[in-house]
Coordinates of all heavy atoms in Angstrom, one line a residue:
Q221 N 14.7 -23.2 20.8 CA 15.5 -22.9 22.0 C 14.6 -23.1 23.2 O 15.1 -23.6 24.2 CB 16.0 -21.5 21.9 CG 17.1 -21.3 20.9 CD 17.5 -19.8 20.8 OE1 16.8 -18.9 21.3 NE2 18.6 -19.6 20.2
I222 N 13.4 -22.6 23.2 CA 12.5 -22.8 24.3 C 12.2 -24.2 24.6 O 12.3 -24.7 25.7 CB 11.1 -22.1 24.0 CG1 11.3 -20.6 23.9 CG2 10.1 -22.4 25.1 CD1 10.1 -19.8 23.5
I223 N 12.0 -25.0 23.5 CA 11.8 -26.5 23.7 C 13.0 -27.1 24.3 O 12.9 -28.0 25.2 CB 11.4 -27.1 22.3 CG1 10.2 -26.5 21.7 CG2 11.2 -28.6 22.5 CD1 8.9 -26.6 22.5
G224 N 14.2 -26.7 23.9 CA 15.4 -27.2 24.5 C 15.6 -26.9 26.0 O 16.0 -27.8 26.7
V225 N 15.2 -25.7 26.4 CA 15.2 -25.4 27.8 C 14.2 -26.3 28.6 O 14.6 -26.8 29.6 CB 14.9 -23.9 28.0 CG1 14.7 -23.6 29.5 CG2 16.0 -23.0 27.4
L226 N 13.1 -26.5 28.0 CA 12.1 -27.3 28.7 C 12.5 -28.8 28.7 O 12.2 -29.5 29.7 CB 10.7 -27.2 28.0 CG 10.1 -25.8 28.1 CD1 8.8 -25.8 27.3 CD2 9.8 -25.4 29.5
K227 N 13.2 -29.3 27.7 CA 13.7 -30.6 27.7 C 14.8 -30.8 28.8 O 14.8 -31.9 29.4 CB 14.3 -31.0 26.3 CG 13.4 -31.0 25.2 CD 12.6 -32.3 25.2 CE 11.7 -32.3 23.9 NZ 10.7 -33.3 23.9
E228 N 15.6 -29.8 29.0 CA 16.5 -29.9 30.1 C 15.8 -30.1 31.5 O 16.3 -30.9 32.3 CB 17.4 -28.6 30.2 CG 18.4 -28.5 29.2 CD 19.2 -27.2 29.4 OE1 19.6 -26.9 30.5 OE2 19.5 -26.5 28.4
S229 N 14.7 -29.4 31.7 CA 14.0 -29.5 32.9 C 13.4 -30.9 33.0 O 13.4 -31.5 34.1 CB 12.9 -28.5 33.0 OG 12.0 -28.7 34.1
E230 N 12.9 -31.5 31.9 CA 12.3 -32.8 31.9 C 13.4 -33.9 32.2 O 13.1 -34.9 32.7 CB 11.6 -33.1 30.6 CG 10.3 -32.3 30.4 CD 9.8 -32.5 29.0 OE1 10.3 -33.3 28.2 OE2 8.8 -31.8 28.7
A231 N 14.6 -33.6 31.8 CA 15.7 -34.5 32.0 C 16.1 -34.5 33.5 O 16.9 -35.4 33.9 CB 16.9 -34.1 31.2
G232 N 15.7 -33.6 34.3 CA 15.9 -33.6 35.7 C 16.8 -32.5 36.3 O 17.1 -32.5 37.4
A233 N 17.1 -31.5 35.4 CA 17.9 -30.4 35.9 C 17.0 -29.5 36.8 O 15.8 -29.4 36.6 CB 18.5 -29.6 34.7
K234 N 17.6 -28.8 37.7 CA 16.9 -27.9 38.6 C 16.5 -26.7 37.8 O 17.2 -26.1 37.0 CB 17.7 -27.5 39.8 CG 18.0 -28.7 40.8 CD 18.6 -28.2 42.0 CE 18.8 -29.4 43.0 NZ 19.4 -28.9 44.2
T235 N 15.3 -26.2 38.1 CA 14.7 -25.0 37.5 C 15.6 -23.8 37.7 O 15.9 -23.0 36.7 CB 13.3 -24.7 38.0 OG1 12.5 -25.9 37.8 CG2 12.7 -23.6 37.2
D236 N 16.1 -23.5 38.9 CA 16.9 -22.4 39.2 C 18.2 -22.4 38.4 O 18.6 -21.4 37.8 CB 17.3 -22.3 40.7 CG 16.0 -22.0 41.5 OD1 15.1 -21.5 41.0 OD2 16.1 -22.4 42.7
D237 N 18.8 -23.6 38.2 CA 20.1 -23.7 37.5 C 19.8 -23.4 36.0 O 20.6 -22.7 35.3 CB 20.7 -25.1 37.6 CG 21.1 -25.4 39.1 OD1 21.4 -24.4 39.8 OD2 21.2 -26.5 39.4
I238 N 18.7 -23.9 35.5 CA 18.4 -23.7 34.1 C 18.2 -22.3 33.8 O 18.7 -21.7 32.8 CB 17.1 -24.5 33.7 CG1 17.4 -26.0 33.8 CG2 16.6 -24.2 32.3 CD1 16.2 -26.9 33.6
C239 N 17.4 -21.6 34.7 CA 17.1 -20.2 34.5 C 18.4 -19.3 34.5 O 18.5 -18.4 33.7 CB 16.1 -19.7 35.5 SG 14.5 -20.4 35.4
R240 N 19.3 -19.7 35.4 CA 20.5 -18.9 35.6 C 21.4 -19.1 34.3 O 22.0 -18.2 33.8 CB 21.3 -19.4 36.8 CG 22.3 -18.4 37.3 CD 22.9 -18.8 38.6 NE 21.9 -19.1 39.7 CZ 21.7 -20.3 40.2 NH1 22.4 -21.4 39.8 NH2 20.8 -20.5 41.2
R241 N 21.5 -20.4 33.9 CA 22.3 -20.7 32.7 C 21.8 -20.0 31.4 O 22.6 -19.5 30.6 CB 22.3 -22.2 32.5 CG 23.4 -22.7 31.6 CD 23.6 -24.2 31.6 NE 23.1 -24.8 32.8 CZ 22.2 -25.8 32.8 NH1 21.8 -26.4 31.7 NH2 21.8 -26.4 34.0
H242 N 20.5 -19.9 31.3 CA 20.0 -19.3 30.0 C 19.6 -17.9 30.2 O 19.1 -17.2 29.2 CB 18.7 -20.1 29.6 CG 19.1 -21.5 29.2 ND1 19.6 -21.8 28.0 CD2 19.0 -22.7 29.8 CE1 19.8 -23.1 27.9 NE2 19.4 -23.7 29.0
G243 N 19.7 -17.3 31.4 CA 19.4 -15.9 31.6 C 18.0 -15.5 31.5 O 17.6 -14.5 30.9
I244 N 17.1 -16.4 32.0 CA 15.7 -16.1 32.0 C 15.2 -16.1 33.5 O 15.8 -16.7 34.4 CB 14.9 -17.1 31.2 CG1 15.1 -18.5 31.7 CG2 15.3 -17.0 29.7 CD1 14.2 -19.6 31.1
S245 N 14.1 -15.5 33.7 CA 13.5 -15.5 35.0 C 12.7 -16.8 35.2 O 12.3 -17.5 34.3 CB 12.6 -14.3 35.3 OG 11.4 -14.4 34.5
S246 N 12.4 -17.2 36.5 CA 11.7 -18.4 36.7 C 10.2 -18.2 36.2 O 9.6 -19.2 35.8 CB 11.7 -18.7 38.2 OG 11.2 -17.7 39.0
A247 N 9.7 -17.0 36.3 CA 8.3 -16.7 35.8 C 8.3 -17.0 34.3 O 7.3 -17.6 33.8 CB 7.9 -15.3 36.1
T248 N 9.3 -16.6 33.6 CA 9.4 -16.9 32.1 C 9.4 -18.4 31.9 O 8.7 -18.9 31.0 CB 10.6 -16.2 31.5 OG1 10.5 -14.8 31.7 CG2 10.7 -16.5 30.0
F249 N 10.2 -19.1 32.7 CA 10.3 -20.5 32.5 C 9.0 -21.2 32.7 O 8.6 -22.0 31.9 CB 11.4 -21.1 33.5 CG 11.4 -22.6 33.5 CD1 12.1 -23.2 32.5 CD2 10.7 -23.3 34.4 CE1 12.2 -24.6 32.5 CE2 10.7 -24.7 34.4 CZ 11.5 -25.3 33.4
Y250 N 8.3 -20.8 33.8 CA 7.0 -21.4 34.0 C 5.9 -21.1 33.0 O 5.1 -21.9 32.7 CB 6.5 -21.1 35.5 CG 7.4 -21.8 36.5 CD1 8.1 -21.1 37.4 CD2 7.4 -23.2 36.6 CE1 8.9 -21.7 38.4 CE2 8.2 -23.9 37.5 CZ 9.0 -23.1 38.4 OH 9.7 -23.8 39.3
S251 N 6.0 -19.9 32.5 CA 5.0 -19.5 31.4 C 5.3 -20.3 30.1 O 4.4 -20.7 29.5 CB 5.0 -18.0 31.2 OG 6.2 -17.6 30.6
W252 N 6.6 -20.5 29.8 CA 7.0 -21.3 28.7 C 6.5 -22.8 28.9 O 6.0 -23.4 28.0 CB 8.5 -21.3 28.5 CG 9.1 -20.1 27.9 CD1 8.4 -19.0 27.4 CD2 10.4 -19.8 27.7 NE1 9.3 -18.1 27.0 CE2 10.5 -18.5 27.2 CE3 11.6 -20.5 28.0 CZ2 11.7 -17.9 26.9 CZ3 12.8 -19.9 27.7 CH2 12.9 -18.6 27.2
R253 N 6.7 -23.3 30.1 CA 6.3 -24.6 30.4 C 4.8 -24.8 30.3 O 4.3 -25.8 29.8 CB 6.8 -25.0 31.8 CG 6.6 -26.5 32.0 CD 7.2 -27.0 33.3 NE 6.4 -26.6 34.4 CZ 6.7 -26.9 35.7 NH1 7.7 -27.6 36.0 NH2 5.9 -26.5 36.6
K254 N 4.1 -23.8 30.7 CA 2.6 -23.8 30.6 C 2.2 -23.8 29.1 O 1.3 -24.5 28.7 CB 2.0 -22.6 31.3 CG 0.5 -22.6 31.3 CD 0.0 -21.3 32.0 CE -1.4 -21.1 31.9 NZ -1.9 -19.8 32.5
K255 N 2.8 -23.0 28.3 CA 2.4 -22.8 26.9 C 3.0 -23.9 26.0 O 2.3 -24.4 25.1 CB 2.9 -21.5 26.4 CG 2.4 -21.1 25.0 CD 2.7 -19.7 24.7 CE 2.1 -19.3 23.4 NZ 2.4 -17.9 23.0
Y256 N 4.3 -24.3 26.2 CA 4.9 -25.2 25.3 C 5.2 -26.6 25.9 O 5.9 -27.4 25.2 CB 6.3 -24.6 24.8 CG 6.1 -23.3 24.1 CD1 6.5 -22.1 24.7 CD2 5.5 -23.2 22.8 CE1 6.3 -20.9 24.0 CE2 5.4 -22.0 22.1 CZ 5.8 -20.8 22.8 OH 5.7 -19.7 22.1
G257 N 4.8 -26.9 27.1 CA 5.1 -28.1 27.7 C 4.6 -29.3 26.9 O 3.5 -29.3 26.5
G258 N 5.4 -30.3 26.7 CA 5.1 -31.5 26.0 C 5.1 -31.4 24.4 O 4.7 -32.3 23.7
M259 N 5.5 -30.2 23.9 CA 5.6 -30.0 22.5 C 7.0 -30.4 21.9 O 7.9 -30.3 22.7 CB 5.3 -28.6 22.1 CG 3.9 -28.1 22.3 SD 3.8 -26.4 21.6 CE 2.1 -26.1 21.9
E260 N 7.0 -30.7 20.7 CA 8.2 -30.8 19.9 C 8.5 -29.5 19.2 O 7.6 -28.6 19.1 CB 8.1 -32.0 18.9 CG 8.0 -33.3 19.6 CD 9.2 -33.7 20.4 OE1 10.3 -33.4 20.1 OE2 9.0 -34.4 21.5
A261 N 9.6 -29.4 18.6 CA 10.0 -28.1 17.9 C 9.0 -27.8 16.8 O 8.6 -26.7 16.5 CB 11.4 -28.2 17.4
G262 N 8.6 -28.9 16.0 CA 7.7 -28.7 14.9 C 6.3 -28.2 15.4 O 5.7 -27.3 14.7
D263 N 5.9 -28.7 16.5 CA 4.6 -28.3 17.1 C 4.6 -26.8 17.5 O 3.7 -26.1 17.3 CB 4.2 -29.1 18.3 CG 4.0 -30.6 18.0 OD1 3.7 -30.9 16.8 OD2 4.2 -31.4 18.9
A264 N 5.8 -26.4 18.1 CA 5.9 -25.0 18.5 C 5.9 -24.1 17.3 O 5.3 -23.0 17.3 CB 7.2 -24.8 19.3
R265 N 6.6 -24.5 16.2 CA 6.6 -23.7 15.0 C 5.2 -23.5 14.4 O 4.7 -22.5 14.0 CB 7.5 -24.3 13.9 CG 8.9 -23.8 14.0 CD 9.8 -24.2 12.9 NE 10.9 -25.0 13.4 CZ 11.0 -26.3 13.4 NH1 10.2 -27.0 12.8 NH2 12.1 -26.8 13.9
R266 N 4.5 -24.6 14.4 CA 3.1 -24.6 13.9 C 2.2 -23.7 14.8 O 1.4 -23.0 14.2 CB 2.5 -26.0 13.9 CG 1.1 -26.2 13.4 CD 1.0 -25.9 11.9 NE -0.3 -26.1 11.5 CZ -0.9 -25.3 10.6 NH1 -0.3 -24.4 10.0 NH2 -2.2 -25.5 10.3
L267 N 2.4 -23.8 16.1 CA 1.6 -22.9 17.0 C 1.9 -21.5 16.7 O 0.9 -20.6 16.6 CB 1.9 -23.2 18.4 CG 1.3 -22.4 19.5 CD1 -0.2 -22.6 19.5 CD2 1.8 -22.7 20.9
R268 N 3.1 -21.1 16.5 CA 3.5 -19.7 16.2 C 2.9 -19.3 14.9 O 2.4 -18.1 14.8 CB 5.0 -19.5 16.1 CG 5.6 -19.7 17.5 CD 6.4 -18.5 17.8 NE 6.9 -18.7 19.2 CZ 7.8 -18.0 19.7 NH1 8.4 -17.0 19.0 NH2 8.2 -18.2 20.9
A269 N 2.9 -20.1 13.9 CA 2.3 -19.8 12.6 C 0.8 -19.6 12.7 O 0.2 -18.6 12.2 CB 2.6 -20.9 11.6
L270 N 0.1 -20.4 13.5 CA -1.3 -20.3 13.7 C -1.7 -19.0 14.5 O -2.6 -18.4 14.2 CB -1.9 -21.5 14.4 CG -1.9 -22.8 13.6 CD1 -2.3 -24.0 14.5 CD2 -2.9 -22.7 12.5
E271 N -0.8 -18.7 15.5 CA -1.1 -17.5 16.2 C -0.9 -16.2 15.3 O -1.7 -15.3 15.4 CB -0.1 -17.4 17.4 CG -0.4 -18.3 18.5 CD 0.6 -18.3 19.6 OE1 1.7 -17.8 19.4 OE2 0.2 -18.8 20.7
A272 N 0.1 -16.3 14.4 CA 0.3 -15.1 13.5 C -0.9 -15.0 12.5 O -1.4 -13.9 12.3 CB 1.6 -15.3 12.7
E273 N -1.4 -16.2 12.0 CA -2.5 -16.2 11.1 C -3.8 -15.7 11.8 O -4.6 -14.9 11.3 CB -2.8 -17.6 10.6 CG -3.9 -17.7 9.6 CD -4.1 -19.1 9.0 OE1 -3.4 -20.0 9.5 OE2 -5.0 -19.2 8.2
N274 N -4.0 -16.1 13.1 CA -5.1 -15.6 13.9 C -5.1 -14.1 14.1 O -6.1 -13.5 13.9 CB -5.1 -16.4 15.2 CG -6.4 -16.2 15.9 OD1 -7.5 -16.0 15.3 ND2 -6.3 -16.3 17.3
A275 N -3.9 -13.6 14.4 CA -3.8 -12.1 14.5 C -4.1 -11.4 13.3 O -4.8 -10.4 13.3 CB -2.4 -11.8 15.0
K276 N -3.7 -11.9 12.1 CA -4.0 -11.3 10.8 C -5.5 -11.3 10.6 O -6.0 -10.3 10.1 CB -3.2 -12.1 9.7 CG -3.4 -11.6 8.3 CD -2.7 -12.4 7.3 CE -3.1 -12.1 5.9 NZ -2.5 -13.0 5.0
L277 N -6.1 -12.4 10.8 CA -7.6 -12.5 10.6 C -8.3 -11.6 11.5 O -9.3 -11.0 11.1 CB -8.0 -14.0 10.8 CG -7.5 -15.0 9.7 CD1 -7.9 -16.4 10.1 CD2 -8.1 -14.6 8.3
K278 N -7.9 -11.5 12.7 CA -8.5 -10.5 13.7 C -8.4 -9.1 13.2 O -9.4 -8.3 13.3 CB -7.9 -10.7 15.1 CG -8.4 -11.9 15.8 CD -7.9 -11.9 17.2 CE -8.4 -13.1 18.0 NZ -7.9 -13.1 19.4
R279 N -7.3 -8.7 12.6 CA -7.1 -7.4 12.1 C -8.1 -7.2 10.9 O -8.7 -6.1 10.7 CB -5.7 -7.1 11.6 CG -4.8 -6.7 12.7 CD -3.4 -6.2 12.2 NE -2.7 -7.2 11.4 CZ -1.9 -8.1 11.9 NH1 -1.7 -8.2 13.2 NH2 -1.3 -9.0 11.1
I280 N -8.2 -8.2 10.0 CA -9.1 -8.1 8.9 C -10.5 -7.9 9.3 O -11.2 -7.0 8.8 CB -9.0 -9.3 8.0 CG1 -7.6 -9.3 7.3 CG2 -10.1 -9.4 7.0 CD1 -7.3 -10.6 6.6
V281 N -11.0 -8.7 10.3 CA -12.3 -8.5 10.8 C -12.5 -7.1 11.4 O -13.6 -6.5 11.2 CB -12.6 -9.6 11.9 CG1 -13.9 -9.4 12.6 CG2 -12.7 -11.0 11.2
A282 N -11.6 -6.7 12.2 CA -11.7 -5.3 12.8 C -11.8 -4.2 11.7 O -12.6 -3.3 11.9 CB -10.5 -5.1 13.7
D283 N -11.0 -4.4 10.7 CA -11.1 -3.4 9.6 C -12.4 -3.4 8.9 O -13.0 -2.4 8.6 CB -10.0 -3.7 8.5 CG -8.6 -3.3 9.1 OD1 -8.5 -2.5 10.0 OD2 -7.6 -3.8 8.5
Q284 N -13.0 -4.6 8.7 CA -14.3 -4.7 8.0 C -15.4 -4.2 8.9 O -16.3 -3.5 8.4 CB -14.6 -6.2 7.7 CG -13.8 -6.7 6.5 CD -14.1 -8.2 6.2 OE1 -14.7 -8.9 7.0 NE2 -13.8 -8.6 5.0
M285 N -15.3 -4.4 10.2 CA -16.3 -3.8 11.1 C -16.2 -2.3 11.1 O -17.3 -1.6 11.2 CB -16.1 -4.4 12.6 CG -16.3 -5.8 12.7 SD -18.0 -6.3 12.4 CE -18.8 -5.6 13.9
L286 N -15.0 -1.8 11.0 CA -14.9 -0.3 11.0 C -15.5 0.2 9.7 O -16.2 1.3 9.7 CB -13.4 0.0 11.1 CG -13.0 1.5 11.2 CD1 -13.6 2.2 12.4 CD2 -11.5 1.7 11.2
D287 N -15.2 -0.4 8.6 CA -15.8 0.0 7.3 C -17.3 -0.1 7.4 O -18.0 0.9 6.9 CB -15.3 -0.9 6.2 CG -13.8 -0.7 5.8 OD1 -13.3 0.4 6.3 OD2 -13.2 -1.5 5.2
M288 N -17.9 -1.1 7.9 CA -19.3 -1.2 8.0 C -19.9 -0.1 8.9 O -20.9 0.4 8.6 CB -19.7 -2.6 8.6 CG -19.5 -3.8 7.6 SD -19.7 -5.4 8.3 CE -21.3 -5.3 9.1
S289 N -19.2 0.2 10.0 CA -19.7 1.2 10.9 C -19.7 2.6 10.1 O -20.6 3.4 10.3 CB -18.8 1.3 12.1 OG -19.2 2.3 12.9
A290 N -18.7 2.8 9.4 CA -18.6 4.1 8.7 C -19.6 4.2 7.6 O -20.2 5.2 7.4 CB -17.2 4.2 8.0
M291 N -19.9 3.1 6.9 CA -21.0 3.1 5.9 C -22.3 3.3 6.5 O -23.2 4.0 6.0 CB -21.0 1.7 5.1 CG -19.8 1.6 4.3 SD -19.7 2.8 3.0 CE -20.6 2.0 1.7
K292 N -22.6 2.7 7.7 CA -23.9 2.9 8.4 C -24.0 4.4 8.8 O -25.1 5.0 8.6 CB -24.0 2.0 9.6 CG -24.3 0.6 9.3 CD -24.4 -0.2 10.5 CE -24.6 -1.7 10.2 NZ -24.6 -2.5 11.4
D293 N -23.0 5.0 9.3 CA -23.0 6.4 9.7 C -23.3 7.3 8.4 O -24.1 8.2 8.5 CB -21.7 6.8 10.3 CG -21.6 6.2 11.7 OD1 -22.6 5.8 12.3 OD2 -20.4 6.3 12.2
L294 N -22.6 7.0 7.3 CA -22.8 7.7 6.1 C -24.2 7.6 5.6 O -24.9 8.6 5.2 CB -21.8 7.3 5.1 CG -21.8 8.0 3.7 CD1 -21.4 9.4 4.0 CD2 -20.9 7.3 2.8
L295 N -24.8 6.4 5.6 CA -26.2 6.2 5.1 C -27.2 6.9 6.0 O -28.2 7.4 5.6 CB -26.5 4.7 5.0 CG -25.8 4.0 3.9 CD1 -26.0 2.5 4.0 CD2 -26.2 4.5 2.5
Q296 N -26.9 6.9 7.3 CA -27.9 7.6 8.2 C -27.9 9.1 8.0 O -28.9 9.7 8.2 CB -27.5 7.3 9.7 CG -27.9 5.9 10.1 CD -27.4 5.6 11.5 OE1 -26.7 6.4 12.2 NE2 -27.9 4.4 12.1
K297 N -26.8 9.7 7.7 CA -26.7 11.1 7.5 C -27.4 11.5 6.2 O -28.0 12.6 6.1 CB -25.2 11.6 7.4 CG -24.5 11.5 8.7 CD -23.1 11.9 8.6 CE -22.4 11.8 9.9 NZ -21.0 12.2 9.9
H298 N -27.5 10.7 5.2 CA -28.2 11.0 3.9 C -29.7 10.9 4.1 O -30.4 11.5 3.3 CB -27.7 10.1 2.8 CG -26.3 10.4 2.3 ND1 -25.9 11.7 2.2 CD2 -25.3 9.7 1.8 CE1 -24.7 11.8 1.7 NE2 -24.3 10.5 1.4
W299 N -30.2 10.2 5.0 CA -31.6 10.0 5.2 C -32.1 11.2 5.9 O -33.0 11.7 6.1 CB -32.0 8.7 5.9 CG -31.8 7.5 5.0 CD1 -30.8 6.6 5.1 CD2 -32.7 7.1 4.0 NE1 -30.9 5.7 4.1 CE2 -32.1 5.9 3.4 CE3 -33.8 7.6 3.4 CZ2 -32.7 5.2 2.4 CZ3 -34.4 6.9 2.4 CH2 -33.8 5.7 1.9

């Protein structure tokens, strides 16, 4: 849907008309254009999948760092 809105803009429609028709703010439109401009629908899906995978990996790293910190604290107390 986002790609469709951006394609309308590329076809020559006015930004204000597009925003009014789709019920979005102009700030939302411009942030979409910045992020998804020039992409096809498949590219956008791939980007979303990569962002989800990246978030999952960041959570895993954060959990491991927390575990390591807890183990270090535990070992220091025993000495």
Side-chain angles (χ1 to χ4, degrees):
Q221 292 175 343
I222 294 171
I223 302 297
V225 170
L226 295 176
K227 294 282 184 190
E228 285 182 40
S229 173
E230 291 173 4
K234 291 186 178 183
T235 304
D236 293 336
D237 295 338
I238 294 170
C239 292
R240 197 173 310 114
R241 193 170 336 128
H242 294 283
I244 59 173
S245 70
S246 58
T248 301
F249 174 81
Y250 289 118
S251 68
W252 286 354
R253 189 171 76 177
K254 180 181 172 186
K255 187 172 184 178
Y256 300 108
M259 287 188 182
E260 295 296 324
D263 297 335
R265 270 189 237 105
R266 180 72 179 140
L267 176 64
R268 292 239 175 164
L270 289 172
E271 287 175 342
E273 183 180 0
N274 191 28
K276 179 182 170 185
L277 292 173
K278 283 184 178 183
R279 276 193 301 275
I280 290 170
V281 168
D283 289 342
Q284 287 181 342
M285 294 294 288
L286 185 62
D287 290 344
M288 288 173 51
S289 176
M291 291 297 270
K292 284 180 182 178
D293 289 344
L294 183 65
L295 288 174
Q296 285 178 352
K297 287 180 182 177
H298 284 325
W299 286 103

